[in-house]
Amino acid sequence: MITQSTFGEMPDGTVIEQFCLTNNQGVSLEILSLGGIIRRWLIPHNAKPPTDIVLGFDSVQAYLSDDSYLGALVGRYANRIAEGKLCLESKNYQLDINQGDNCLHGGSQGFNNKVWQSTVLSRDENPAIALQLESPDGDQGFPGALSTKVIYTLTESNRLKIEYFATSKRTTVFNPTNHSYFNLSGHNSGSVNNQHIQVVASYYTPTDAHAIPTGELIKVEGTPFDFRKLSTIEQALTSAHPQIQYGNGLDHNLCIDSYDPQSQEAKYAAKATSENTDISLKVYTTMPGIQVFTANHFDHKKGKQDSLYHAHQGLCFETQFYPDSPNQPQFPSATLKAGEAFYSVTEYEVLF
Ligand code: G6D
């Protein structure tokens, strides 16, 4: 089932729609036409009120004035491109610099700030909506007029399937993701430290102090990034490892072992679980990397229902190409050639 309502207005008066997708198991999601934001994700319980497992806000203004991309679609390029420098087919491009010396998440006016054209695709079984966006040639410095579509489908097996489609008139780079912050004990339940995660990744990409990859692929064995077995998030956050110290927590790309550039089938990549609520989340994707981020700089961030979000109150599993891959030829390529059809799919399955 899908219900539609008005969530608010942009400063120029553009109305922001809210779509509530509910399946027959009682799982429901609220998705906004602003940035394709997943605002609420409600998991039913027999005798208790539902648990809202994602962090978010209650107004358009709160989303527009925040820099944490809560629940948002991110692009053209999720994560960083060093110094915003891009060289494609022997042409150099300068992207918008919006974090230090680098381009983060597609620049200061990336996909998260845009109003997407929204269409209901299926109202009953497997409710689904399509969000479409036209990004003009030169948008935030990226070459090529890009048409992109994202389809959110809530299945009867409690998976949120996110399909990304794009074509560009000129060769460009494209690395979309969704930036939901999960807290499986409830968005306002405090830190995720005692929750457990697994990431099926034998390597990670270490960074400098500004989250720019060094270009190396380092084995996770013996490091706080070894989540091949279900481990508490706390064991990583309390590590003295310099990579953890850089960002006051986890904020790293892990290299998914099951990645197959030829496959369009989402493979199992990661899991999170809360013993407080017995809610688990599994992540499946066609992408090569997953940014594990633990909301390291949140400090009294006013969230939904007057809650306050603090450091380590959310966990992001941002499926992606590796950061700065346009400048790291040894990483899987995020180049989208003129006229080529891009497709990727990520699925978040909730078990409860
Ligand atoms: C910080 O380094 C992190 C990013 O990975 C994250 O996406 C952003 O905050 C919201 O810059």
Side-chain angles (χ1 to χ4, degrees):
M1 178 180 73
I2 294 186
T3 59
Q4 187 172 340
S5 58
T6 296
F7 177 69
E9 286 185 3
M10 296 292 280
D12 68 1
T14 304
V15 169
I16 298 302
E17 297 291 335
Q18 177 172 276
F19 300 88
C20 182
L21 285 63
T22 304
N23 70 9
N24 293 322
Q25 322 317 312
V27 173
S28 65
L29 289 120
E30 289 175 8
I31 296 170
L32 304 180
S33 57
L34 170 59
I37 288 167
I38 299 173
R39 188 176 93 82
R40 296 211 303 172
W41 194 328
L42 300 176
I43 309 304
H45 291 290
N46 292 333
K48 294 185 299 180
T51 300
D52 183 358
I53 61 170
V54 290
L55 279 60
F57 297 120
D58 284 331
S59 72
V60 169
Q61 187 46 45
Y63 280 109
L64 293 177
S65 54
D66 186 65
D67 64 356
S68 301
Y69 303 81
L70 266 61
L73 294 173
V74 173
R76 285 194 198 188
Y77 196 96
N79 219 312
R80 291 156 178 83
I81 293 180
E83 299 180 358
K85 294 198 180 313
L86 190 58
C87 180
L88 287 170
E89 297 174 342
S90 308
K91 290 195 186 77
N92 294 316
Y93 300 93
Q94 179 58 58
L95 307 177
D96 182 53
I97 303 290
N98 62 320
Q99 189 185 66
D101 298 331
N102 306 308
C103 179
L104 172 69
H105 292 340
S108 53
Q109 293 308 310
F111 286 7
N112 60 298
N113 277 333
K114 306 284 189 193
V115 180
W116 294 60
Q117 184 198 333
S118 314
T119 315
V120 173
L121 294 183
S122 159
R123 285 191 179 279
D124 305 309
E125 283 282 301
N126 302 317
I129 60 171
L131 301 167
Q132 293 179 263
L133 182 73
E134 300 299 326
S135 170
D137 183 20
D139 188 5
Q140 306 301 295
F142 290 93
L146 180 101
S147 298
T148 184
K149 176 171 72 174
V150 175
I151 297 180
Y152 283 117
T153 304
L154 175 59
T155 73
E156 293 310 320
S157 55
N158 299 321
R159 287 193 185 199
L160 176 66
K161 185 174 176 184
I162 310 179
E163 296 175 283
Y164 301 89
F165 305 80
T167 54
S168 177
K169 294 274 194 292
R170 289 173 56 205
T171 294
T172 189
V173 291
F174 189 58
N175 178 25
T177 195
N178 177 275
H179 208 304
S180 288
Y181 290 75
F182 295 99
N183 188 325
L184 300 181
S185 298
H187 76 101
N188 53 357
S189 66
S191 86
V192 296
N193 290 19
N194 63 353
Q195 294 174 33
H196 290 71
I197 63 173
Q198 178 187 41
V199 183
V200 187
S202 303
Y203 292 84
Y204 79 105
T205 51
T207 72
D208 65 12
H210 305 289
I212 297 296
T214 61
E216 302 162 284
L217 296 180
I218 300 285
K219 284 188 174 177
V220 299
E221 192 171 4
T223 78
F225 305 99
D226 190 353
F227 291 106
R228 291 172 296 173
K229 291 189 173 56
L230 206 59
S231 316
T232 64
I233 293 172
E234 190 161 37
Q235 62 83 23
L237 297 187
T238 53
S239 164
H241 195 288
Q243 289 287 318
I244 297 290
Q245 297 306 310
Y246 276 155
N248 180 36
L250 287 163
D251 188 9
H252 289 77
N253 170 68
L254 276 67
C255 310
I256 299 168
D257 290 347
S258 60
Y259 175 58
D260 172 358
Q262 307 309 320
S263 171
Q264 292 200 335
E265 182 202 341
K267 305 270 188 8
Y268 174 65
K271 174 180 181 179
T273 185
S274 161
E275 288 174 354
N276 297 352
T277 56
D278 289 331
I279 295 173
S280 293
L281 176 80
K282 286 186 175 180
V283 186
Y284 306 79
T285 187
T286 56
M287 296 296 269
I290 187 164
Q291 187 85 2
V292 182
F293 177 50
T294 45
N296 304 325
H297 306 296
F298 282 20
D299 182 9
H300 290 80
K301 185 185 291 287
K302 191 157 177 276
K304 288 176 283 192
Q305 297 135 351
D306 292 328
S307 50
L308 286 177
Y309 298 146
H310 301 288
H312 307 149
Q313 189 149 340
L315 165 72
C316 300
F317 278 144
E318 301 156 63
T319 56
Q320 62 181 3
F321 286 108
Y322 301 173
D324 200 32
S325 56
N327 298 307
Q328 301 286 354
Q330 72 281 17
F331 289 177
S333 170
T335 300
L336 178 62
K337 289 199 178 307
E340 183 185 353
F342 175 91
Y343 177 78
S344 74
V345 54
T346 291
E347 300 181 11
Y348 295 98
E349 178 186 22
V350 179
L351 304 99
F352 55 96

